[in-house]
Amino acid sequence: MIVRILGEGQYTVPDDQRSDLEKLDDAIADAVDGGDEAAFGDALAALTAAVRSAGVALADDAFAPSDLVVPFSDATLDETKALLAEHGESAGSDDR
Amino acid sequence: MGVMKRMSGILQAKTNKLLDKAEDPRESLDLSYQKQLESLQKVRRSVADVTTAKKRIELQATQLQSQADKLQNQAKAALTQGNEDLAREALARRGALAEQLADLKTQHDQVSAQEQKLIDTAQKLQTQVDSFRTKKETMKATYTAAEAQTKIGEAVSGISESMSDAGMSMQRAQDKIDGMQARAGAMDELLASGALTDLTNPVDDIQAQLDKASTTTQVDAELAALKAELGTGTAAPAPELGAAETTPATEDSPS
């Protein structure tokens, strides 16, 4: 699968890493929901590190859409919250 | 739903806005390429904006620094004259400026980081756009209509996603700069209209006091010399002329 870290680039990550990444992703979601800035920073750092170490950077001349997208590695909690909220309706409720 | 999935949906939504649904997938390659060139232009302009913001902060820092240096020198001069209160005042004002300078330094670091990121983004985008330009011709020439549908579609969404990512990076940099521009504007106004020169005008007060003090000392000395010469003033008799001249500060003890 292809994972993009915003502002950084895309990585090809083996599919069997998916559940590991999702566990780290859950920690981010929990931090966002709980408004815990420190936990958010730690969880985001852990996720970006995992993507970088498990994945191989996609060549600049390879064009493929991503399966998963990780926030900017230096994103703040507020920024991420705002982004998720701004697109909350369109991203969440595509059940028309 | 996880954050990565939601982020993916957000990026997808932004990317869809970039995509032109051309009837012929081959045509969509050219349309996409045009968009890429526009995106690249925008990122370049954004880099220039960030650089301008950085320069502005540097200019302000230079102005504040020279004021701080001036106050430092004045504090020294005041101490030399033995006026500790005045020296204290100069140092206090210098301290206030140091806070502003530290603030500017923080802003400068942030803007520099944004600048570097955008420069990286622009470079990466440039590589991708160059590569896409040659690839699209190969694709047009080699793919059958059926292949073109999927392969070209994938390539176009892939690179469009990179454009969206770059767009988000630019927006992010812009937001940061906007906040700083407001503060920089306020600082410029302060520097220009005197509120900050409330800190710098008093600098001239301090200078005036320093000048006055040194003038006073000199006048005192001359006055003492004159008095001695004329043999008037207090009961200082002529033989003590020399003494009066070397110790002008202790003339005229009250009776």
Side-chain angles (χ1 to χ4, degrees), chain A residues 4-10 18 21-22 25 28-29 32 47 60-72 74-76 79-80 83-84 86-87 91-92, chain B residues 1-14 17 114 117 121 124 127-129 131-132 135 139 154-159 161-162 165 168-169 172 176:
Chain A
R4 176 183 289 277
I5 300 177
L6 285 178
E8 186 171 320
Q10 292 171 293
R18 192 177 190 116
L21 293 188
E22 277 171 355
D25 189 39
I28 297 183
V32 171
L47 180 61
D60 282 345
D61 60 353
F63 310 114
S66 309
D67 300 292
L68 294 172
V69 176
V70 177
F72 289 96
D74 61 347
T76 62
E79 179 184 5
T80 307
L83 196 59
L84 292 174
E86 184 190 333
H87 295 273
Chain B
M1 190 165 30
V3 171
M4 289 192 294
K5 266 284 162 210
R6 286 159 77 188
M7 280 290 168
S8 176
I10 289 163
L11 191 60
Q12 190 59 54
K14 285 179 188 289
K17 284 186 196 160
Q114 288 298 323
K117 272 185 202 161
T121 300
K124 197 167 179 136
T127 312
Q128 289 197 310
V129 170
S131 153
F132 190 87
K135 262 202 169 172
M139 283 181 175
E154 199 164 88
V156 169
S157 345
I159 196 155
E161 191 187 288
S162 293
D165 186 351
M168 286 174 80
S169 300
R172 208 161 173 255
K176 293 219 163 138

Side-chain angles (χ1 to χ4, degrees), chain B residues 76-95:
Chain B
K76 259 185 222 163
L79 264 191
T80 311
Q81 289 182 355
N83 191 341
E84 203 174 314
D85 286 346
L86 194 60
R88 194 182 296 277
E89 177 66 22
L91 289 178
R93 283 166 194 177
R94 187 177 170 278

Side-chain angles (χ1 to χ4, degrees), chain B residues 10 34 54 67 75 98 141 175 186 203 206 210 228:
Chain B
I10 289 163
Q34 282 310 315
K54 193 179 84 172
Q67 291 297 348
D175 288 349
V203 171
I206 292 175
L210 286 170

Side-chain angles (χ1 to χ4, degrees), chain A residues 9-56:
Chain A
Q10 292 171 293
Y11 293 85
T12 309
V13 180
D15 285 344
D16 61 14
Q17 297 290 313
R18 192 177 190 116
S19 63
D20 284 354
L21 293 188
E22 277 171 355
K23 251 178 242 159
L24 295 169
D25 189 39
D26 287 342
I28 297 183
D30 289 347
V32 171
D33 292 340
D36 188 339
E37 181 83 59
F40 174 81
D42 291 346
L44 182 57
L47 180 61
T48 49
V51 171
R52 286 179 199 134
S53 72
V56 178

